[in-house]
Amino acid sequence: QVQLVESGGGSVQPGGSLRLSCAASGSIFSINTMGWYTQAPGKQRELVAAIISVGTTNYADSVKGRFTISTDNAKKTGYLQMSSLKPEDTAVYYCHALISSAETRGAYRSYWGQGTQVTVSS
């Protein structure tokens, strides 16, 4: 079964750094995009960063210059390097990918990771 497994969350002081990982597994044919989102109660999921297969990236204005999204295509793993962390970055971070696979018979389908908590405080 195709799944995304997240890791790397934790607690850090303001100004610190964390690196989140999102590993995809299963009979994967292709990953079109991979991204990271947060969701606050009563609000829509908010895009933090995303990358498409050709390498184009998009970032929320609030994280530009501080976060970097990347992928290791051979490992089917995405990363979010977070630096200069601020208390406002505190959230559960969910990775997301559009994946075609044997499971989907070649169609692209949306998959979400389980979420990983990032807490930035003194």
Side-chain angles (χ1 to χ4, degrees):
Q1 297 294 312
V2 173
Q3 59 182 304
L4 301 177
V5 178
E6 300 181 41
S7 61
S11 296
V12 66
Q13 294 184 348
S17 299
L18 287 171
R19 189 193 194 206
L20 307 184
S21 298
C22 178
S25 63
S27 299
I28 294 170
F29 297 157
S30 181
I31 301 176
N32 181 268
T33 65
M34 182 168 284
W36 295 88
Y37 294 78
T38 60
Q39 186 170 19
K43 300 184 68 176
Q44 295 181 328
R45 287 168 291 183
E46 298 285 343
L47 175 68
V48 177
I51 187 167
I52 61 175
S53 60
V54 297
T56 301
T57 58
N58 291 303
Y59 295 94
D61 287 343
S62 62
V63 306
K64 287 180 179 177
R66 300 189 297 119
F67 291 9
T68 302
I69 188 170
S70 63
T71 59
D72 183 327
N73 292 329
K75 294 182 178 180
K76 306 292 185 185
T77 300
Y79 304 95
L80 185 67
Q81 177 66 51
M82 304 185 293
S83 300
S84 301
L85 283 161
K86 304 174 181 180
E88 66 189 46
D89 298 320
T90 296
V92 177
Y93 285 72
Y94 297 91
C95 70
H96 172 266
L98 293 174
I99 300 172
S100 67
S101 66
E103 177 180 308
T104 67
R105 304 299 177 98
Y108 282 99
R109 185 168 294 172
S110 177
Y111 293 89
W112 290 92
Q114 81 280 10
T116 185
Q117 177 70 50
V118 172
T119 302
V120 185
S121 67
S122 299

